[in-house]
Amino acid sequence: MARPSWPLFIAAFLSLAVALVSYRFLLLGLDGAFESMAGHLANRRLALLLHVSAAPVALALGVFQFLPKLSARHPGLHRLSGRIYALAVLVGGASGLVLAIGAEGGPVAAAGFGLLAVLWIGITGNAVRLAMQRDIAAHRRWMIRSYALTFAAVTLRIYLPFLIGLGGLDYAQSSIWVAWACWVPNLLLAQWWLTRTASKAARVT
Ligand code: HEM
């Protein structure tokens, strides 16, 4: 059985950190948190509440689904956690789509976040369908793509300070870039890794 590797540990650390920080909205109380928020989100409280409640659950849970020992030893836990992940993606993605429509960065940012939301739900839904059909190898491949999109929450928060701090852009200008940059490279990297491991396996057999 393959051992979890260091990229998985780094991903787990970053995912948990971003998920916990996102819960400031619930911990501070919505009013307190809204005072610190950009005004454009204040008129979509329900969507933001659903989004900041559900999306961090997907981020925090998803990474543990890839721990080989955990899913082999506790398949029931893997299935339960997978169902919660899928529900969190559905709620987080649908509310993310509502937030995307009025994104601060205008139509280009709206399109980037909107496409991310649609792909997040679609790709995860396909992974769930494959699990229900017991096509575990394909389920795993689609879940890797799904988590690459979930991880956009982390990559966005890595790029944003650089664009604002070093690039001298404001939040609206930065979000035009990060709405795409936070997920397109993640998905391409996941696809590259899947193709590479598949061709390595084909060479061995
Ligand atoms: C992958 C699909 C996702 C989409 C499409 C999406 C979309 C959005 C959008 C459009 C906004 C408002 C940004 C703006 O108006 O400029 C937002 C805010 C937010 N999202 Fe997501 N999001 C996704 C995933 C996540 C995940 C996995 C988390 C987990 C931590 C998360 C946490 C937040 C938080 C906390 C905010 C409030 C603003 C902030 O703290 O930066 N989102 N999201």
Side-chain angles (χ1 to χ4, degrees), residues 44 96-103 106 110 113-114:
R44 280 169 298 156
L97 187 58
V98 174
L99 294 176
I101 289 163
F113 284 131

Side-chain angles (χ1 to χ4, degrees), residues 14-36:
L14 291 173
S15 299
L16 286 177
V18 170
L20 286 175
V21 171
S22 297
Y23 274 120
R24 74 189 182 279
F25 285 94
L26 305 182
L27 295 174
L28 289 175
L30 274 186
D31 286 332
F34 271 113
E35 276 168 27
S36 66

Side-chain angles (χ1 to χ4, degrees), residues 22 24 40 51-52 55-56 99-100 104 113 116-117 120 153 157 171:
S22 297
R24 74 189 182 279
H40 71 286
H51 189 69
V52 299
L99 294 176
E104 175 82 340
F113 284 131
L116 169 61
W120 201 31
R157 285 161 182 82
Y171 176 77

Side-chain angles (χ1 to χ4, degrees), residues 158-198:
I158 292 174
Y159 303 149
L160 208 52
F162 283 100
L163 288 168
I164 294 174
L166 299 179
L169 305 180
D170 63 20
Y171 176 77
Q173 292 165 330
S174 308
S175 71
I176 295 171
W177 294 99
V178 291
W180 294 92
C182 71
W183 64 272
V184 176
N186 296 11
L187 197 56
L188 291 175
L189 192 66
Q191 192 52 48
W192 168 80
W193 189 81
L194 286 168
T195 310
R196 184 171 161 263
T197 47

Side-chain angles (χ1 to χ4, degrees), residues 97-139:
L97 187 58
V98 174
L99 294 176
I101 289 163
E104 175 82 340
V108 179
F113 284 131
L115 188 57
L116 169 61
V118 171
L119 288 176
W120 201 31
I121 294 173
I123 285 178
T124 309
N126 197 37
V128 171
R129 182 184 66 80
L130 290 160
M132 288 164 75
Q133 291 174 351
R134 297 277 177 269
D135 187 347
I136 301 307
H139 163 69

